[in-house]
Amino acid sequence: MRWLPLLVLFSCRERPEPAVFDAGALPPKVAHVVVTTGPFFEQAPRFVERWRTTEGWPQRTLVLSTGFSSVTNTSDALLEGAATATLFKASGGAAFTAGPPDLAFGSDTFSKQVEQSAAALLLANVRATDFAAPTVVAFEREKIRFGVIGISTLSKSDGAFEALPLEGALKTTIATASSQAQVVVGLVNGCSTEVRRALEQHPDWKVDLVVAAPCEGARDGRVGTATLLHPSSQQYASLRVELGAVRSLSAQVVDVAADAPEEPSMVKARAPLLARVETLRARPLVVLKEPADVDATTLMVATALKTLTKADAGLFSKKSLQRGLPATVTRAAVLESLPSFERVLLVDVPGEVLTKLVSHPDALLSMPAKVDPNGSYVLATTESLYRSESLPGAPPTEHIGLEAVDANPVVSTQLLPTAVMAFLETAPKDQPLPRPPKKR
């Protein structure tokens, strides 16, 4: 039993207190968000170089877009939006919203764009029947959760879309995003006017950043809890989020110079796309018997509008052209002659109006041989000619002003240059262009 006292002594000894290890405060969580607007084709290498290298932001940056808008870039438009979608994926793009310009090449092509981008299409205030488009998606970057929503101007005139009341849609979507994430970002395809008004009326909505197009009268600044920014095509919006002892968010518009350095991997991804564009631009569409002057080219465009849309008549203006077409017409020549990528509109006009348009000093018509003044006709023209004023952001051009004749024209899926190119591709070789009649 000699071991008993030793056991008692051992069991009665005081246990030492564990050593205290002070690791200090936990480091804050930091994440970055980038939002681009418009086409992402030519700018992508410069943008990515800026936020990855100059800013030193990691590849885990949350990259978003307010829309691809391929029709505003002639190179991307030749590839029907495939270039922007491809480079958005290469940049790590996670989500985007869309508007009418994104559907310019039709719903099937747009569906391919969405697939090529590998990003989520977000529509908070639009119900889509042909696309999988959630109202909000949560993303995690550096252990910070972001709720992203998309606000669009799509409607029935653009396809299988139903516009929902904006205020009600935002109230529900923002509440969902706030419950799922620590930071909420809104992407607006189009102007911010209506969104700003809704945010002003609901200062309790928990939104941190809203990015929209730089429309006339738009201004950056705080609206309730949100920072509202309007980057142009040579800019992107950035957001730095730091969550630690305090919650710190810093949002700004970043300028990227046209001669800024380009990120090598993005240059490599863009190279085959540029090569494909040059091949398409140089490919002849048709060989004419002689070069076409401005009058002949204008009538040819009017004929193309009429033919491709199967309308009764086509209308185009000489003042909308940059120059006539050469004898060998390439895609590049068409793109350099026509003013911009804009939609073709179908307008219901009385025969009396159609006959009056014949005497317009600058516009030329492709029309039926006989016109009944009391009849009704479908006229194919461009959006800028239809209106009495310039479109926001569009170059100045001739305005016919048919709004008073038909306030609700049909917006065609045809774009002006693609309609002309399709018409010329089907034209016989050595085709003589129709000659406009001499006006008295």
Side-chain angles (χ1 to χ4, degrees):
M1 302 293 293
R2 294 176 61 185
W3 50 267
L4 182 59
L6 292 174
L7 179 61
V8 172
L9 287 172
F10 181 80
S11 63
C12 291
R13 290 178 61 186
E14 293 184 2
R15 295 180 179 177
E17 292 291 331
V20 177
F21 177 72
D22 185 6
L26 291 174
K29 295 179 287 186
V30 178
H32 301 86
V33 180
V34 163
V35 185
T36 68
T37 59
F40 192 57
F41 179 38
E42 295 176 350
Q43 302 97 318
R46 293 183 288 109
F47 281 17
V48 174
E49 170 71 16
R50 176 63 185 262
W51 72 62
R52 284 187 186 171
T53 305
T54 306
E55 301 288 350
W57 290 4
Q59 293 194 19
R60 286 280 295 162
T61 296
L62 180 60
V63 181
L64 309 169
S65 175
T66 63
F68 294 159
S69 303
S70 311
V71 295
T72 61
N73 180 281
T74 55
S75 295
D76 197 15
L78 278 173
L79 300 181
E80 297 187 335
T84 284
T86 300
L87 292 184
F88 191 64
K89 179 181 179 180
S91 73
F96 69 103
T97 190
D102 297 299
L103 273 292
F105 300 104
S107 58
D108 290 342
T109 299
F110 178 66
S111 181
K112 292 177 183 177
Q113 275 186 279
V114 176
E115 184 178 349
Q116 288 169 332
S117 72
L121 169 63
L122 304 176
L123 299 174
N125 62 319
V126 174
R127 183 179 291 118
T129 57
D130 291 349
F131 302 96
T135 58
V136 58
V137 172
F139 299 94
E140 186 171 302
R141 294 293 187 273
E142 309 303 331
K143 298 183 179 180
I144 298 177
R145 287 184 66 79
F146 294 87
V148 185
I149 64 178
I151 303 160
S152 173
T153 54
L154 290 169
S155 64
K156 288 182 179 179
S157 63
D158 302 299
F161 301 97
E162 179 186 353
L164 306 174
L166 180 62
E167 186 175 353
L170 286 183
K171 180 180 180 180
T172 303
T173 307
I174 291 173
T176 301
S178 301
S179 67
Q180 296 178 352
Q182 297 156 293
V183 179
V184 177
V185 178
L187 310 173
V188 182
N189 186 285
C191 300
S192 62
T193 307
E194 296 301 319
V195 177
R196 173 185 282 274
R197 186 176 296 117
L199 292 174
E200 288 173 343
Q201 294 174 351
H202 298 275
D204 56 314
W205 284 356
K206 296 179 181 179
V207 183
D208 297 290
L209 175 67
V210 176
V211 182
C215 299
E216 184 179 355
R219 62 189 187 279
D220 295 348
R222 297 282 294 182
V223 183
T225 64
T227 298
L228 184 57
L229 299 178
H230 306 83
S232 69
S233 60
Q234 299 299 322
Q235 302 172 321
Y236 63 82
S238 75
L239 174 68
R240 182 184 185 276
V241 179
E242 181 176 324
L243 300 183
V246 295
R247 186 177 190 268
S248 174
L249 279 74
S250 175
Q252 63 179 329
V253 171
V254 178
D255 293 298
V256 183
D259 59 352
E262 296 186 321
E263 206 277 332
S265 68
M266 297 298 294
V267 172
K268 184 178 180 180
R270 187 186 60 184
L273 298 168
L274 286 174
R276 187 178 168 197
V277 165
E278 288 308 309
T279 300
L280 288 173
R281 286 174 62 90
R283 184 179 298 166
L285 296 168
V286 68
V287 177
L288 307 174
K289 287 189 173 181
E290 59 184 359
D293 59 16
V294 170
D295 281 5
T297 302
T298 301
L299 183 56
M300 182 271 296
V301 174
T303 304
L305 294 178
K306 171 189 172 184
T307 304
L308 266 294
T309 60
K310 298 181 180 179
D312 299 311
L315 173 73
F316 199 61
S317 169
K318 291 187 287 186
K319 288 189 175 181
S320 296
L321 277 179
Q322 301 295 322
R323 61 184 66 85
L325 290 173
T328 300
V329 184
T330 62
R331 281 178 168 81
V334 173
L335 295 173
E336 291 164 3
S337 297
L338 298 178
S340 64
F341 276 79
E342 60 174 307
R343 297 277 192 104
V344 176
L345 266 58
L346 301 177
V347 187
D348 287 328
V349 296
E352 182 183 6
V353 171
L354 204 58
T355 54
K356 288 181 179 179
L357 287 172
V358 174
S359 60
H360 193 285
D362 297 307
L364 290 173
L365 276 162
S366 174
M367 57 189 297
K370 293 183 179 181
V371 176
D372 180 0
N374 298 317
S376 180
Y377 297 87
V378 176
L379 174 67
T381 188
T382 63
E383 189 170 3
S384 59
L385 296 183
Y386 164 80
R387 301 188 185 282
S388 55
E389 313 185 322
S390 293
L391 295 167
T397 186
E398 179 72 15
H399 313 295
I400 303 299
L402 296 170
E403 293 147 306
V405 179
D406 182 1
N408 297 295
V410 174
V411 181
S412 168
T413 58
Q414 291 284 347
L415 290 173
L416 174 60
T418 52
V420 172
M421 287 188 282
F423 173 77
L424 289 174
E425 278 186 310
T426 60
K429 291 183 178 180
D430 299 325
Q431 156 151 325
L433 284 174
R435 303 301 304 177
K438 293 182 179 181
K439 295 185 178 181
R440 296 177 181 177

